[in-house]
Structure formats: C-alpha cells, structure tokens
Amino acid sequence: MAAPNAAAEDDGVILSLVLDTKKGNSFLLILDACSFTELARAEIPHPIPFGSHGQYYEQI
C-alpha cells in the first residue's frame, strides 16, 4: 500500500495475513515496505485459512 505523496517506489507498507498453526489463530502483519521492519500486528482470535487466491485449477 503506497504512502500518500510517496517519493520512492517503496514508500509505504506491506500487509500480510499470517496463519499461525501452532497458536491456532491468524494475524495481520504490517511491514515497512523499504526495510521490512515490523510496524504493527493485529491479532485475530481465530484462524483464517488460506483461500483460493494464488491457487490455480485445471479447467475441465
């Protein structure tokens, strides 16, 4: 997600949904797009399984 009035290509943040199978929950990880430093984490009290995004199926 680009920062408002971004001056460089990597001015902004990266949002990543993480599934923690050991804890049985998920969280939204917010990273600085330039350094990949963790800026914030939003814990979700239940798992959000991976969906069909990025998966490809053969047409029949």
Side-chain angles (χ1 to χ4, degrees):
M1 179 178 296
N5 303 316
E9 182 179 13
D10 56 0
D11 280 350
V13 296
I14 294 175
L15 304 175
S16 179
L17 184 60
V18 180
L19 174 62
D20 187 338
T21 56
K22 289 185 180 185
K23 287 185 177 180
N25 68 342
S26 294
F27 58 91
L28 178 65
L29 187 62
I30 303 162
L31 305 170
D32 178 273
C34 182
S35 66
F36 278 77
T37 303
E38 183 176 332
L39 300 175
R41 181 180 294 215
E43 295 283 338
I44 303 165
H46 55 82
I48 298 177
F50 298 116
S52 61
H53 181 75
Q55 296 185 14
Y56 302 94
Y57 301 94
E58 185 177 338
Q59 284 186 306
I60 298 177

